[in-house]
Amino acid sequence: MPKLSWTLKNQDAASYDFTSSVQSFTYTQGRQNVLDNYNGGTCYITMRNNAGQVAAASLAYRQKVYLRCEGVVTFRGWVQGIDYIDTPGNANDATAVISLVDAWVLAGQQIADNQLLIDENLQIDEIDALLFNPGNFSQVLASSDIRGSLDYSSDYASRINQIVASDRGAFFPALGIHYYYPLAYMYTNNQEDYTFGRSASASVIAYESFDRVEAVGNQTYVNSAQVTPEDLATQSHTNDSATTYGQSAITVATLNLTTGDGLNTARWISNSMGQFIDNQSYRITVKDVTQTAVANLAEMLQETWNLLLAYTPPGGVSTSEQTLTEGVTVRGFIDRTEVDFYLSPLTYYNYFILDNTVFGVLDSSRLGW
């Protein structure tokens, strides 16, 4: 029976390995839906403390902890707090819950004071260098043009989320680092060597449970968008489907340089998310012990790829869709690991069909840009 191997270490104390004391852990990364902000990841580690294991591991506020899956980092966290459960009268049962937060949370706790931001295409890298804990955000390629700032004064996580709202890309955790892929390069993160499906094989990661959510207004179905670039006039676009279903509108604050860029953003949102009423988002749960092998699942936690999802609706026919992994929740136990994957259709980004009137790259009225 295959099973993922996990290692937990305090990276600030000579890489102290406290895996043997851990009873269970849970961590989250990313987001659940395409329009959500990135609010930061958390991890909760329950460990024995009957003989002072927490002190032995030097776990204290803002100590850096790495979780490794099959020897590769999947979560970088910093201690946010420790809850000691001392069980008076029976010290052998004493435990502690270690709370970790990731770099997103720390970025949200660091406030800029009249900070100069000048890079219009690699501003995430510029921000990373300003953080107290640099080296945890990286921008893979240049984004669309992003407005700079002569006097930015807010938290850095909010600024990064505004960049995402402006460029419409997404973050993919890899080796514990948060990599930003701009909208124009989303396809480069596609993985074709394996897929998600119902039956496990060497090329299929099998899911235990499968949830699909159709047409949630303002979340997975949006046919009208009002976009306000900083210091510029609001730009609006409404998809033709609003004449049938009425408006399902959102408002977005961006850092687009021009009103034309803001209008393109509004067109992109309303056209990519508002053409089909049956657009789906997905949540699947995967267990390591039900797989043929764990290498592909381990790689998904280590690097985060976009996979093809295959499923058959009740009473329906076999269906497949290219998806983007928005986020994960990982639960580790002594005997198994469970993973929830939150998936969006890649059509929400820029998975085009060349000659299609909806997503065809030759149809400028649908494309936006």
Side-chain angles (χ1 to χ4, degrees), residues 272-286:
S272 64
M273 301 192 67
Q275 183 63 28
F276 298 112
I277 194 67
D278 57 351
N279 275 344
Q280 313 272 350
S281 62
Y282 309 93
R283 185 183 71 185
I284 62 174
T285 299
V286 172

Side-chain angles (χ1 to χ4, degrees), residues 190-204:
N190 291 352
Q191 170 61 264
E192 298 180 356
D193 292 338
Y194 50 89
T195 65
F196 288 125
R198 184 66 189 93
S199 300
S201 73
S203 60
V204 176

Side-chain angles (χ1 to χ4, degrees), residues 160-353:
I160 298 174
N161 272 308
Q162 276 193 292
I163 294 172
V164 176
S166 306
D167 185 64
R168 309 313 305 173
F171 275 92
F172 297 91
L175 312 182
I177 299 173
H178 303 276
Y179 288 93
Y180 180 69
Y181 281 70
L183 177 67
Y185 302 100
M186 203 66 63
Y187 71 94
T188 63
N189 213 45
N190 291 352
Q191 170 61 264
E192 298 180 356
D193 292 338
Y194 50 89
T195 65
F196 288 125
R198 184 66 189 93
S199 300
S201 73
S203 60
V204 176
I205 299 175
Y207 47 79
E208 293 287 302
S209 66
F210 177 85
D211 297 336
R212 54 193 175 93
V213 181
E214 180 178 304
V216 179
N218 302 88
Q219 294 183 39
T220 64
Y221 181 75
V222 175
N223 61 20
S224 181
Q226 291 189 341
V227 173
T228 305
E230 188 176 66
D231 297 329
L232 298 174
T234 297
Q235 303 297 304
S236 302
H237 184 76
T238 300
N239 185 277
D240 292 343
S241 66
T243 60
T244 302
Y245 303 110
Q247 286 193 359
S248 176
I250 62 169
T251 59
V252 182
T254 72
L255 300 171
N256 297 125
L257 284 184
T258 67
T259 54
D261 288 344
L263 179 58
N264 285 335
T265 302
R267 287 171 173 167
W268 175 259
I269 295 171
S270 58
N271 287 335
S272 64
M273 301 192 67
Q275 183 63 28
F276 298 112
I277 194 67
D278 57 351
N279 275 344
Q280 313 272 350
S281 62
Y282 309 93
R283 185 183 71 185
I284 62 174
T285 299
V286 172
K287 292 182 181 179
D288 58 350
V289 294
T290 62
Q291 307 304 314
T292 300
V294 296
N296 295 338
L297 178 57
E299 186 177 71
M300 275 297 290
L301 298 178
Q302 296 161 359
E303 300 190 37
T304 316
W305 297 102
N306 301 329
L307 297 189
L308 186 74
L309 171 68
Y311 64 96
T312 302
V317 298
S318 178
T319 304
S320 62
E321 180 159 14
Q322 192 71 37
T323 64
L324 180 139
T325 303
E326 298 283 0
V328 298
T329 296
V330 180
R331 296 177 294 276
F333 306 98
I334 299 298
D335 60 340
R336 69 191 186 283
T337 299
E338 300 174 352
V339 185
D340 295 336
F341 289 96
Y342 299 94
L343 310 173
S344 290
L346 200 53
T347 49
Y348 283 170
Y349 293 89
N350 65 346
Y351 188 68
F352 293 117
I353 303 170

Side-chain angles (χ1 to χ4, degrees), residues 28-82:
T28 62
Q29 282 188 313
R31 58 188 181 181
Q32 294 191 13
N33 293 301
V34 61
L35 294 178
D36 292 345
N37 280 334
Y38 291 94
N39 293 320
T42 58
C43 177
Y44 299 96
I45 303 166
T46 300
M47 59 184 291
R48 293 191 304 276
N49 194 44
N50 59 304
Q53 287 92 332
V54 172
S58 300
L59 296 174
Y61 183 67
R62 287 290 170 90
Q63 295 293 310
K64 186 193 298 183
V65 174
Y66 282 4
L67 277 70
R68 289 178 169 85
C69 178
E70 299 294 321
V72 179
V73 176
T74 61
F75 186 91
R76 293 185 182 188
W78 287 260
V79 176
Q80 180 85 339
I82 303 175

